[in-house]
Amino acid sequence: MAFWAHSFVFDDIPSETYGLFLISDGGAGVLENVGSNAVEPYTQEIYRRPKPYFFGVQQTPVLTFSLSFASLKPVDALQQQIIQRWLFGHNSYKKLQIMQCDMESVYFNCIFNNPTLTTVGNYAYTFKCDVVCDAPWAWEFPKSESFGPFLTEGTFKFNNISDDNYYMKPVFVIEIGNNADSFQLLNQSDGNKGCTFNDLSPGETLTIDSDKYIVTSNTGLLRVGNMTGILPRLVPGMNTFQVIGSTEKITINYQNARKVSG
């Protein structure tokens, strides 16, 4: 993947800290870059049925691309050690942001693998590695939207513009009313699927992580047992939610997937 940016930020450290800047192996001209992710169809062939049964697709594979950067000054062995400790060998994903104007709102959650150094004598001048992301796309930085209050019931709309064609499963924070002990949240755009919570404390705040299937409460009590239905989720496009019960505020914390290429 080729970028026209001069610098990058990895693990919250700008490349200028070590005098590094991005370069392109192919130079200026026509380049073939990594584009959008592919999908793998899941099918089943049946004897004497020429058309296989189609069960869906799997978004695959995770996004990978090469990244090259260099220094105008020779990098000695001690500085090489510091740079490699910063970039390589991490045991978790780190944020990579390419500092160009059309990518300011996105980052790659990734690991740098297979480092290669080009040296002259004992000094390094260029570095190259493979970037392995945690998903088939980059991510926008986290956002949140709030709705309410709802006295007894009401509706609100949320537009899911993520590039992931699957369900989005964000974090919902529900602040119920001071005179309420239950509420229901249904997504009319998802076949009226949703959840109902009963026997809560008035004024309680629930945090619902729909992806990890975790429900926490500011009371310290476990509240999954108070729920019936399924945790709320978002279909692609416009979602219309129906709220039944008194709620002061409903906040959706989410991240959009973004299919980008250099």
Side-chain angles (χ1 to χ4, degrees):
M1 186 179 292
F3 304 102
W4 53 263
H6 179 78
S7 60
F8 64 94
V9 176
F10 183 77
D11 196 19
D12 297 324
I13 299 176
S15 60
E16 291 93 340
T17 303
Y18 301 103
L20 300 176
F21 60 93
L22 293 171
I23 60 174
S24 173
D25 288 340
V30 178
L31 299 173
E32 292 186 359
N33 296 323
V34 177
S36 178
N37 63 298
V39 295
E40 179 181 352
Y42 281 83
T43 61
Q44 177 65 57
E45 294 183 355
I46 302 297
Y47 180 60
R48 290 184 177 178
R49 188 179 192 274
K51 181 181 178 180
Y53 286 104
F54 176 72
F55 299 107
V57 299
Q58 174 70 34
Q59 300 272 3
T60 183
V62 297
L63 179 63
T64 59
F65 56 91
S66 296
L67 193 70
S68 299
F69 40 95
S71 172
L72 290 177
K73 298 180 180 180
V75 181
D76 62 25
L78 179 60
Q79 190 73 351
Q80 291 175 39
Q81 176 187 353
I82 295 173
I83 291 173
Q84 293 195 78
R85 186 167 62 243
W86 164 44
L87 296 175
F88 308 117
H90 292 287
N91 55 10
S92 63
Y93 292 106
K94 303 294 182 181
K95 290 184 175 64
L96 167 66
Q97 189 175 10
I98 305 299
M99 304 306 293
Q100 63 185 51
C101 62
D102 58 349
M103 298 183 67
E104 291 178 347
S105 64
V106 303
Y107 67 91
F108 301 96
N109 205 33
C110 62
I111 292 174
F112 285 3
N113 269 342
N114 303 321
T116 302
L117 281 67
T118 300
T119 60
V120 178
N122 193 40
Y123 296 99
Y125 284 87
T126 65
F127 300 79
K128 184 177 180 180
C129 64
D130 295 327
V131 179
V132 181
C133 299
D134 70 337
W137 40 68
W139 298 101
E140 277 190 343
F141 286 94
K143 297 180 179 181
S144 65
E145 292 188 35
S146 296
F147 309 89
F150 305 98
L151 297 180
T152 55
E153 65 176 297
T155 61
F156 67 90
K157 294 181 181 293
F158 180 93
N159 191 15
N160 175 13
I161 59 172
S162 175
D163 289 341
D164 183 0
N165 292 323
Y166 287 166
Y167 287 108
M168 178 191 284
K169 298 181 178 180
V171 176
F172 292 79
V173 180
I174 315 291
E175 301 176 23
I176 71 170
N178 291 325
N179 298 315
D181 62 0
S182 65
F183 74 90
Q184 187 175 43
L185 183 63
L186 303 175
N187 189 346
Q188 296 176 344
S189 304
D190 189 23
N192 279 322
K193 294 183 176 67
C195 58
T196 301
F197 282 85
N198 292 304
D199 300 322
L200 302 175
S201 300
E204 185 172 346
T205 298
L206 294 183
T207 300
I208 303 171
D209 189 331
S210 296
D211 183 43
K212 298 178 181 178
Y213 212 93
I214 297 175
V215 181
T216 57
S217 168
N218 64 340
T219 65
L221 299 174
L222 300 177
R223 290 304 198 188
V224 173
N226 298 70
M227 187 197 80
T228 57
I230 65 171
L231 294 185
R233 58 192 184 182
L234 304 173
V235 299
M238 188 62 69
N239 292 255
T240 300
F241 282 92
Q242 180 182 18
V243 184
I244 301 174
S246 175
T247 55
E248 294 295 324
K249 185 167 66 173
I250 297 177
T251 301
I252 302 177
N253 300 313
Y254 65 99
Q255 276 188 283
N256 289 323
R258 286 290 173 252
K259 296 179 180 180
V260 298
S261 60

